Amino acid sequence: MDKTSMEGFVSQGKGDDSAREELASLLRTARLDRGLSGQELADALCWSQSKVSKIENGRTKPSSSDVETWLDACRARLDVARKGAELAEATLVESRHWRVVHAKGLRSGQDEARSLEQRSDLVRSFQPSLVPGLLQTAEYARQVLSAANVSGQRDVPEAVAARMRRQEALYDHGRGFEFTVTESALRWHPHDPDLLLGQWDRLLSVATLTNVTLRVLPLSSPFGHLQSNGFLLFESSDEPTVIVETFTRELSITEPEEVRQYRDVHSILTEHSLDEEASRDYLRDLASSV
């Protein structure tokens, strides 16, 4: 995960876990007040009973439309419907300050990212400012994590090792990765420009993997879309998730419409990038120019 910036709504209230628990309780209470079993509600909504159960147990985040449909079926009061909409928004766009993210050290953030990667069928990444974490060399990662250590954690070496372990997922042919990086990202370095040659060599090596695509977006190309921030999109059948990092917060977005918008942005930026072969040639030319 890599620092960038983002505009738009972020939940400033309850933490994601407490909001999800409160929403699950509200939905369960609405169903019980209506006198419906889980199966009866599922039948009324044309859902599976397991979906109802997972939502009530807090294992699945319902979309805003799911919450509205659920409460309509239960004929909930207007104030309950409004509260449900607020809680749904809070669970679908989670905002955590870096003090909270780093509370257990830098390594815990790497472990969280690895968990998301392990349950994803496809990971899409766009980075306008630096090389994505999954593609970083150990030294590049050490310098990036040290620079990003705004809370003064002491486990940078452990976090680097955890980031390197995350990269094992790249060799799983059952999982796909689509990286789009800008020329600026390729040229940026934390402190030492000498590490870039090794970093570019690492990118060329990973680009040979059949389940990995690496596309470069040169400064001379039309970008096709504003680049306000980088992001990671974890595609999974149960809950696609977008992760965005700002200077002060980490955003985790699961609201389906917003996820779709990020998916579209990634597609547009990738379409304006060099193809895979041209991207590898670009990296070779970059290395030879130093």
Side-chain angles (χ1 to χ4, degrees):
M1 300 184 187
D2 313 296
K3 286 185 175 297
T4 49
S5 61
M6 177 182 181
E7 298 178 357
F9 172 85
V10 293
S11 168
Q12 301 290 344
K14 300 176 182 294
D16 177 64
D17 289 341
S18 61
R20 188 190 295 210
E21 291 171 4
E22 187 173 352
L23 178 60
S25 176
L26 181 146
L27 294 174
R28 186 185 311 109
T29 299
R31 174 180 63 78
L32 293 174
D33 286 349
R34 186 59 184 162
L36 297 173
S37 68
Q39 185 62 61
E40 288 170 336
L41 178 61
D43 291 342
L45 299 177
C46 297
W47 294 354
S48 66
Q49 196 278 332
S50 64
K51 178 175 179 177
V52 171
S53 177
K54 288 178 180 178
I55 290 174
E56 286 194 349
N57 289 312
R59 297 199 303 273
T60 295
K61 296 179 185 178
S63 67
S64 297
S65 61
D66 284 344
V67 171
E68 182 180 2
T69 301
W70 181 306
L71 294 175
D72 282 346
C74 295
R75 299 185 184 178
R77 301 190 314 270
L78 181 59
D79 62 318
V80 174
R82 288 174 176 166
K83 184 64 174 178
E86 292 174 2
L87 290 171
E89 189 71 26
T91 63
L92 292 169
V93 184
E94 175 191 358
S95 170
R96 297 191 299 171
H97 193 277
W98 287 112
R99 287 192 301 270
V100 177
V101 177
H102 291 178
K104 297 180 180 179
L106 298 178
R107 175 182 171 176
S108 66
Q110 298 303 308
D111 292 339
E112 288 178 10
R114 189 180 189 188
S115 177
L116 280 170
E117 287 151 3
Q118 288 177 335
R119 70 174 179 81
S120 300
D121 303 312
L122 174 65
V123 178
R124 306 179 199 267
S125 170
F126 170 67
Q127 255 307 331
S129 55
L130 72 168
V131 172
L134 282 170
L135 303 179
Q136 293 173 4
T137 63
E139 179 57 22
Y140 189 105
R142 186 186 69 79
Q143 293 191 23
V144 167
L145 289 169
S146 296
N149 187 14
V150 295
S151 57
Q153 300 298 316
R154 299 182 178 180
D155 64 339
V156 170
E158 292 81 2
V160 173
R163 177 163 287 187
M164 295 302 101
R165 285 192 294 273
R166 283 175 55 198
Q167 296 180 3
E168 295 172 2
L170 296 170
Y171 305 102
D172 179 359
H173 284 186
R175 184 174 291 112
F177 296 86
E178 298 179 357
F179 297 98
T180 299
V181 297
T182 67
E183 176 184 344
S184 297
L186 295 175
R187 293 181 179 274
W188 181 86
H189 57 84
H191 300 293
D192 182 6
D194 292 338
L195 62 76
L196 288 180
L197 276 174
Q199 181 59 71
W200 295 335
D201 184 65
R202 167 65 176 163
L203 294 175
L204 283 168
S205 176
V206 173
T208 64
L209 295 170
T210 57
N211 61 315
V212 175
T213 63
L214 174 61
R215 307 279 291 273
V216 175
L217 186 56
L219 291 172
S220 59
S221 298
F223 284 5
H225 198 283
L226 293 175
Q227 301 176 55
S228 57
N229 55 258
F231 59 89
L232 282 164
L233 169 52
F234 300 93
E235 300 278 19
S236 65
S237 58
D238 57 341
E239 189 174 80
T241 303
V242 174
I243 299 294
V244 180
E245 295 185 345
T246 76
F247 288 111
T248 57
R249 290 181 177 271
E250 177 186 272
L251 306 178
S252 176
I253 302 167
T254 54
E255 201 284 317
E257 178 57 24
E258 285 195 60
V259 171
R260 183 194 64 76
Q261 290 173 355
Y262 275 94
R263 190 179 294 121
D264 290 345
V265 168
H266 190 273
S267 295
I268 292 170
L269 292 168
T270 301
E271 287 170 4
H272 285 78
S273 301
L274 301 175
D275 62 32
E276 291 182 72
E277 183 176 354
S279 293
R280 290 192 290 270
D281 288 341
Y282 186 91
L283 283 166
R284 294 187 189 98
D285 291 342
L286 199 59
S288 65
S289 68
V290 175

